[in-house]
Amino acid sequence: MAPLLVGCDFSSAPSRRKPIVLALGEPCGDGKAVRLTGIETFDTLPAFGAWLAGPRRWVGGFDLPFGLPRELIETLGWPTQWPAWLAHYRALTRAEIRQRFAAFCAARPAGGKFAHRATDGPAGSSPSMKWVNPPVAFMLHAGVPLLVDAGAHLPGLIDGDTGRVALEAYPGLTAREVLGRRSYKADDRACQTPERAAARAGLLAALLSGTADGGRPLRTGLRLEADAARQAALVADAAGDRIDAVLCLLEAGAAWRAHAAGDADYGLPPRRDRLEGWITGA
């Protein structure tokens, strides 16, 4: 029996206005599609942590980094084994993280302030050490300990309950296949334009067909199934949190399909850095 599929748009400081969003789904269509079955939101980290630890089987794609660049960790003299590194990192305050990372950047030349993980290039993702715009370093600090405390299995990083599998996802990976660099979301109401709404509608249409321009299949190899009400809600969410969660859901679905076909590592590349982690599908 297939597990629940989960896509997570994460916030390190969730609130009613900007909650953590989970898209829930199930494989369908002979494994070639994922059906969106629900959306759940959490406005506190403890509530989200309680959901993760609940008695259910799932494979999830989470839009937050699972690691920091090896170069950064070694320069700071932190542990270079993933569990020990995480224990050290989670014991720091956000102010301490900001201070150490800012000092690291200050000592580097212009144009190369941030260190990067190997996965950042193929994924097109922000450096996981950034503490602003977006504050992904704080997302890591807030979110990964919740996954570990829930007993989740993070392939190649830490062994846990294989009935709850957490993978690092990145919605931009799939969104850019369809839209290129066109913007489809904005938290600022003044920037929530008809053009961005049209981009969300176009993105959703591509997910429903499973293809980008010219009929080229999306890299996930999956299409989305969703009823009319859920489709309308995805387009109506001008902040893009719900459609980002759905993008992560499809990336989790692709990982699950790889596992069901016999890949114990859920499609992750075997030669990846086991300290830095890797974005599924990159």
Side-chain angles (χ1 to χ4, degrees):
M1 181 178 177
L4 177 69
L5 298 177
V6 177
C8 176
D9 181 73
F10 187 74
S11 170
S12 59
S15 63
R16 289 187 178 181
R17 177 180 171 276
K18 187 72 172 176
I20 296 166
V21 178
L22 290 189
L24 309 179
E26 61 187 10
C28 61
D30 295 328
K32 297 179 180 179
V34 172
R35 180 180 295 114
L36 178 63
T37 58
I39 296 284
E40 294 199 28
T41 61
F42 304 87
D43 54 22
T44 69
L45 292 170
F48 178 56
W51 188 95
L52 293 172
R56 58 181 67 83
R57 295 174 63 247
W58 48 261
V59 172
F62 297 83
D63 181 19
L64 67 154
F66 284 11
L68 290 170
R70 177 178 288 276
E71 180 185 4
L72 172 69
I73 292 171
E74 291 180 345
T75 299
L76 295 177
W78 291 354
T80 55
Q81 297 298 313
W82 195 90
W85 161 80
L86 180 66
H88 178 85
Y89 188 67
R90 70 184 297 181
L92 300 174
T93 66
R94 292 188 183 182
E96 289 170 332
I97 292 168
R98 184 186 300 109
Q99 179 185 37
R100 285 163 173 75
F101 289 5
F104 174 90
C105 292
R108 290 163 67 90
K113 294 294 187 181
F114 292 103
H116 292 263
R117 295 185 295 164
T119 193
D120 290 338
S125 54
S126 295
S128 61
M129 67 172 294
K130 286 190 72 176
W131 61 93
V132 291
N133 299 325
V136 285
F138 296 157
M139 293 166 67
L140 190 166
H141 186 260
V144 175
L146 294 178
L147 294 168
V148 172
D149 290 348
H153 177 63
L154 281 60
L157 300 178
I158 191 168
D159 292 336
D161 179 359
T162 54
R164 286 175 284 180
V165 178
L167 300 154
E168 182 181 343
Y170 179 50
L173 193 61
T174 300
R176 288 173 188 157
E177 284 190 87
V178 179
L179 300 175
R181 293 288 175 175
R182 287 173 59 203
S183 177
Y184 61 96
K185 60 183 179 177
D187 287 331
D188 184 349
R189 287 183 179 274
C191 297
Q192 294 174 352
T193 61
E195 291 78 13
R196 286 188 169 91
R200 285 193 303 281
L203 176 56
L204 176 60
L207 299 182
L208 293 168
S209 70
T211 60
D213 291 342
R216 173 174 47 85
L218 295 176
R219 74 175 64 207
T220 61
L222 296 170
R223 57 182 175 80
L224 176 70
E225 291 191 1
D227 62 32
R230 291 191 172 103
Q231 291 182 40
L234 294 177
V235 175
D237 178 13
D241 300 335
R242 283 162 174 75
I243 203 163
D244 277 352
V246 165
L247 290 165
C248 292
L249 172 68
L250 290 169
E251 291 170 11
W256 160 249
R257 189 166 70 162
H259 180 74
D263 187 339
D265 246 6
Y266 290 83
L268 297 172
R271 296 184 65 184
R272 66 194 184 278
D273 190 317
R274 303 302 175 104
L275 175 63
E276 293 188 342
W278 195 267
I279 294 169
T280 185

